[in-house]
Structures are given as structure tokens and as C-alpha cells.
Amino acid sequence: MATAASDEKLDGQIFKKQPEHKRGIPEAIFIENVEALCKQYSSTEVVARLQELHTKYQYMSSSIAAQRSSLKVKLPDIASALETVRHLTAKRDAGSGEESEYTYQLAENLWAKASAQETKCVCLWLGANVMLEYSLEEATELLTTNETNAKNLLESLTDDMNFLRDQITTTEVNIARAHNYGIKIKKDQKEEAEKNAPAASEPKSFAPSSRAPVDDSKGMMGGEDYKWKQDQDELEVWVPVPEGAKKGELKVTILAETLKVEHSGKVLLQGTLAAKVSPDGSTWTLGKNRVELSLEKIETAQWPSLFEQEEV
């Protein structure tokens, strides 16, 4: 119950319901003070709720886009049927009694001619294998009503689409700001922890210039091809590169489940990670004769190894 109440309070700060809106689409609230919000709730929780809201907006947008596309196809058909009925009505009122010749479409590129006498009724296709007979007056009234309703609905859907675009943009901005603030907090906490840590606890053997296997007794892991360490939230990976390597010669691909480092087309490191990371929250840079990667974990847990299987 407490969690549900907490979720409702958080929801109230990221969107507001609009009961007067015909479709009930909630309005996204621009978060003015991200720092204050992330002090009440963790940045991870805020980003997760915003992403959930963003997903719902995207679903509604897709649904409305499909309805608009369907209406745009139906409207010309309704207008064409209404024009035909009005033509038949005019011919009947003229009372000439002569047959009229019409050209009608059989298929996409196939047309045919037919003759028809004056009529007082028509059959309208209603869909779902249903066709009903109407008098010309009833058909005109029905088609006119359908055309008006379709135009009004199309206008309403267009307004909803424009409204949704604004909400999606606002939510994306909120997600980016909350995520960046979370990265900043983690960085500050890490720097504070390193500052307060005893000098003796610093991993002297974790040096970028050494390609010798890391001493596991000092909590370091790796070998000649890479070295790595971790805390609850992040992983640091160092990959040696040839002396004098330039950043433009490197290609680093960080995906949720895989990691690949290349230099001038040669694969230096590649493998399936032991768990998932966030590509958006991960970074890399070129240090002295090494690529330094910072990978943000999806789940705060200790990894038994960097890769599921060691692949180089």
C-alpha cells in the first residue's frame, strides 16, 4: 500500500490527468527542479516511471495514427458514393426516362462500362459482408452524416496527435534530465568514495601500462587483453591499444548485452557480457595506450566475470 501511494505521488509530479479530454490523455509536466524530485525518489525510479509514461504515449500515438490512416482511406470512398447518389437523384428528378451510361472500376487497372435506368433506391455497402437497400433520400442522408462524422473525427484525431507529440517531447526531455542527474550523483559519490578511501587500498597493480595478469588477491580481475573492476553500479574496463593509436582509428560498440572494441579494423576485445548494461549511461575515452570504458549496470549486483565466455 505504501508503494502504491508513493507511485501515485510520483505520478502526480510527472503528469496530470485531464478528465475533460475526450480521450483522457494525461498531460506531461515539465520537471523544473530535477534535483528536488530525485531527492524524494531515486533517479532510477524517476527515469523508470518516465519511460513507462513515454511508452504509453508512443502506444497511443501509434493507435491514433492507424485510425487517421483508415479514415483518410474511407473519406474519398464516402465522398464518391455521395456524389453518385446525388447524380442518381438529379437524373430521377429530371424524369427523362433515358438510360445512362456509366464507367466503373472493377480492379486497380481495370474499368468497364454499363447502362442503368433511373432508380428510386440504391444498395450501400456497409462492410463486414453487409449491403442494405436505401431510398435515394435515405442514402443521401446517411452518407452526408457519415462524411460529416468522418471529417470531425479526423480533425479530432489530428488535434490528439499534435497534443501527443508535445507530451512525448516533454517526457523525453524529462527522461534525459533525470538520467543525467543520476549519472552526476553517481560520479560525485564515486569521487567522494575515492577521496575518503585509504591510500593503501588503492589498486597499484591496476596500471594501464602493464599487460601482466592482475593480482586477484588485491581485488582486481583481468589479463593481458583487458583489465576490469566493478562497484555496485558501474564497471571500469581498460583495453590496451597499440602505442600512438588515435581515437579516429578506434570503434567501440556498447550494446545492452555485448561489447566490442576495434582498432583499424582489428578486433581487440569482443564478447557477450555477463549481465546487461545501459548503452546510454556508458561512455569510453582514449587514455595513454588504452581505451577506458565506464559501463553502467542495469541491475545493482556484483558480476562473477566480465563476459559469459571469454572471447577476444
Side-chain angles (χ1 to χ4, degrees):
M1 295 296 291
T3 302
S6 175
D7 289 346
E8 289 181 3
K9 292 180 72 174
L10 175 56
D11 289 346
Q13 297 186 65
I14 62 177
F15 70 86
K16 56 185 177 182
K17 297 180 180 179
Q18 288 190 307
E20 71 278 2
H21 197 284
K22 288 180 291 185
R23 294 179 179 272
I25 302 175
E27 180 181 359
I29 300 173
F30 178 75
I31 303 174
E32 295 283 353
N33 194 336
V34 174
E35 182 177 352
L37 183 62
C38 289
K39 285 182 179 179
Q40 298 180 52
Y41 311 92
S42 69
S43 61
T44 303
E45 184 180 2
V46 174
V47 170
R49 300 294 286 180
L50 286 169
Q51 288 176 335
E52 181 181 346
L53 179 63
H54 184 267
T55 300
K56 291 179 179 178
Y57 280 141
Q58 292 283 19
Y59 176 79
M60 285 186 279
S61 179
S62 299
S63 176
I64 291 175
Q67 293 182 59
R68 288 180 69 214
S69 298
S70 177
L71 274 176
K72 287 181 178 179
V73 172
K74 290 178 180 178
L75 261 173
D77 293 339
I78 295 173
S80 177
L82 182 57
E83 182 182 0
T84 302
V85 172
R86 285 173 174 165
H87 171 75
L88 293 173
T89 302
K91 292 287 290 183
R92 182 202 62 185
D93 294 343
S96 63
E98 297 179 355
E99 288 187 350
S100 299
E101 190 175 87
Y102 300 96
T103 301
Y104 60 96
Q105 188 175 13
L106 291 177
E108 185 176 354
N109 296 315
L110 182 61
W111 297 76
K113 289 184 178 181
S115 298
Q117 296 182 350
E118 293 179 6
T119 182
K120 296 181 180 179
C121 58
V122 292
C123 292
L124 296 182
W125 180 264
L126 301 182
N129 297 324
V130 176
M131 181 176 282
L132 292 180
E133 184 178 288
Y134 293 90
S135 68
L136 294 177
E137 289 73 20
E138 291 174 337
T140 301
E141 181 181 358
L142 176 63
L143 291 171
T144 301
T145 301
N146 289 349
E147 184 181 39
T148 301
N149 291 341
K151 288 181 178 179
N152 291 338
L153 180 56
L154 182 60
E155 183 178 353
S156 175
L157 291 174
T158 301
D159 291 341
D160 290 343
M161 279 293 292
N162 293 334
F163 179 77
L164 272 171
R165 286 195 191 98
D166 292 340
Q167 310 321 303
I168 289 173
T169 300
T170 300
T171 305
E172 288 174 345
V173 171
N174 287 338
I175 290 173
R177 296 178 72 221
H179 175 77
N180 291 339
Y181 181 76
I183 295 294
K184 177 180 179 297
I185 290 297
K186 290 177 182 178
K187 182 179 179 181
D188 292 344
Q189 291 174 346
K190 183 178 178 181
E191 290 178 353
E192 186 66 23
E194 291 177 352
K195 180 179 178 182
N196 296 331
S201 66
E202 295 181 358
K204 296 180 180 179
S205 62
F206 195 39
S209 60
S210 174
R211 295 176 65 90
V214 181
D215 187 356
D216 289 339
S217 65
K218 295 184 179 180
M220 307 308 300
M221 295 162 283
E224 293 184 357
D225 299 301
Y226 69 92
K227 297 183 176 70
W228 75 290
K229 62 180 179 179
Q230 65 177 319
D231 56 26
Q232 285 294 108
D233 302 310
E234 290 182 327
L235 303 145
E236 286 188 28
V237 184
W238 293 356
V239 182
V241 297
E243 186 174 354
K246 299 179 180 179
K247 194 169 185 179
E249 301 170 346
L250 296 168
K251 182 179 179 182
V252 180
T253 306
I254 304 173
L255 302 178
E257 298 180 348
T258 60
L259 174 64
K260 186 176 182 180
V261 180
E262 300 173 81
H263 174 256
S264 297
K266 180 182 178 182
V267 178
L268 303 179
L269 184 68
Q270 181 177 9
T272 301
L273 297 170
K276 291 184 178 182
V277 299
S278 169
D280 293 335
S282 302
T283 60
W284 71 274
T285 187
L286 177 61
K288 186 177 181 181
N289 297 333
R290 67 172 182 256
V291 174
E292 301 176 3
L293 301 99
S294 176
L295 309 179
E296 181 184 0
K297 297 179 179 179
I298 294 293
E299 297 181 357
T300 55
Q302 291 293 315
W303 290 19
S305 61
L306 181 61
F307 297 113
E308 285 186 351
Q309 296 179 350
E310 299 299 326
E311 303 176 30
V312 179

